[in-house]
Amino acid sequence: MRQELLSLPKGLAEDVARNLVMVARLIDEDPEGAYAYSRIALRLASRVAAVREAAGFAAYANQKFSEALAEFRAARRMTGSVELWPVMADCERGLGRPEKALEMAGAPEVQKLDKASQVEMRLVAAGARRDMDQLDAAIVTLQSPELASNSVQPWTARLRYAYADALLAAGREGEAREWFAKTVESDKDGSTDASDRLAEMDGVEFVDVLAEDDEEAGNGDTTETATEIRVEAEAEHQDADDDEDDEDEDEDDEIESVTTDEITDDVDDLDEDADEDDEDDAPHRPQS
């Protein structure tokens, strides 16, 4: 991206770069904000491939699939790269064209993708099968050496999760539970909700103990007690603050008194010293 921006005048390149940074920073937490910044970058430098790609991902994050697909296609034309192929196929799914996504999954471009992108393409293809209610085909699509491998890669959790979810949708609950458990093992950063799905399958219910106590004690009484406790706590806190303020004031008065007396004494001493110095230093005029 840096190399592409070097083709722009310095000031313009800096403006574009700032907007692209904001797109990357906001795209997960604030997709709409990221989209707004991407449109600014696009307006400033629409002939830069990195800008078109960023605009595509921002539109994709906001489910603007037609717009995202157009930006991805433009970026691909500029670079000749196939790395955006899986997300382009997923845009086709988003536009309600799963058949087109499957067609892209079987295209020669897939063979040019790196391993991570090939796995992503497999996930998109399985999703397209499910869009077409072809559950068994989706399960078969996900069965691969990457799924069977015991090594944990960046894509492992998502692949296992998709497989477990497809098995569950097909009614194969025992296998689904096994693969949700495997997903939990590989999902170190919590990118999926596999643990919740597994707990749900095992019939585990998370009980709110406080809510249970409220029900047993009675909502009205509990509310009154909670209010009383809060008021008492606030009163105690206020008393403690008042005592602390009183101590601080006494301390300040003492410090101020001592300081003032000391300063006064020091000033008097300085004045006396100055008078003595004046007498000693007074010039002796010659007598006439």
Side-chain angles (χ1 to χ4, degrees), residues 108-256:
E109 282 83 355
V110 176
Q111 303 305 317
K112 300 176 184 178
L113 297 172
D114 59 20
K115 180 62 68 177
S117 296
Q118 287 183 358
V119 172
E120 192 65 34
M121 190 73 250
R122 190 177 291 276
L123 288 168
V124 173
R129 290 292 185 187
R130 292 191 62 173
D131 292 342
M132 300 166 68
D133 294 324
Q134 299 176 1
L135 292 177
D136 290 338
I139 292 170
V140 172
T141 299
L142 293 168
Q143 292 171 346
S144 61
E146 293 81 17
L147 179 67
S149 175
N150 290 324
S151 66
V152 176
Q153 303 295 335
W155 61 77
T156 302
R158 292 181 61 238
L159 185 58
R160 290 178 178 179
Y161 184 90
Y163 189 60
D165 193 46
L167 288 169
L168 187 60
R172 296 160 62 173
E173 294 187 6
E175 295 174 84
R177 190 204 174 284
E178 176 187 349
W179 281 96
F180 275 128
K182 289 183 177 180
T183 303
V184 172
E185 292 175 2
S186 59
D187 191 7
K188 304 303 181 184
D189 58 356
S191 61
T192 72
D193 64 346
S195 59
D196 293 338
R197 299 290 297 276
L198 187 60
E200 184 181 346
M201 293 187 70
D202 288 343
V204 176
E205 294 184 7
F206 297 98
V207 179
D208 189 336
V209 178
L210 293 177
E212 230 178 38
D213 292 342
D214 288 350
E215 290 180 4
E216 291 177 1
N219 290 336
D221 294 341
T222 303
T223 303
E224 184 179 356
T225 303
T227 302
E228 291 174 355
I229 291 172
R230 179 175 59 79
V231 171
E232 289 176 5
E234 289 178 353
E236 290 176 3
H237 182 69
Q238 184 62 45
D239 290 342
D241 286 345
D242 291 341
D243 291 342
E244 187 175 340
D245 290 341
D246 291 340
E247 291 177 5
D248 290 343
E249 286 178 5
D250 294 340
E251 226 176 78
D252 290 343
D253 291 340
E254 182 179 348
I255 292 171
E256 183 179 357

Side-chain angles (χ1 to χ4, degrees), residues 31-104:
E32 291 184 1
Y35 179 76
Y37 279 106
S38 75
R39 300 308 297 176
I40 296 173
L42 194 60
R43 191 163 60 247
L44 293 173
S46 61
R47 296 186 180 183
V48 175
V51 171
R52 304 303 290 266
E53 183 176 331
F57 278 110
Y60 179 80
N62 285 275
Q63 298 186 359
K64 299 177 183 291
F65 298 115
S66 180
E67 184 177 329
L69 185 58
E71 297 301 339
F72 290 142
R73 284 173 174 168
R76 182 167 179 265
R77 283 195 301 271
M78 292 176 180
T79 63
S81 173
V82 296
E83 64 180 8
L84 295 172
W85 198 252
V87 70
M88 290 169 63
D90 204 40
C91 285
E92 295 287 0
R93 282 188 61 211
L95 291 169
R97 301 195 289 253
E99 298 87 352
K100 179 62 177 176
L102 288 175
E103 181 183 330
M104 294 179 68

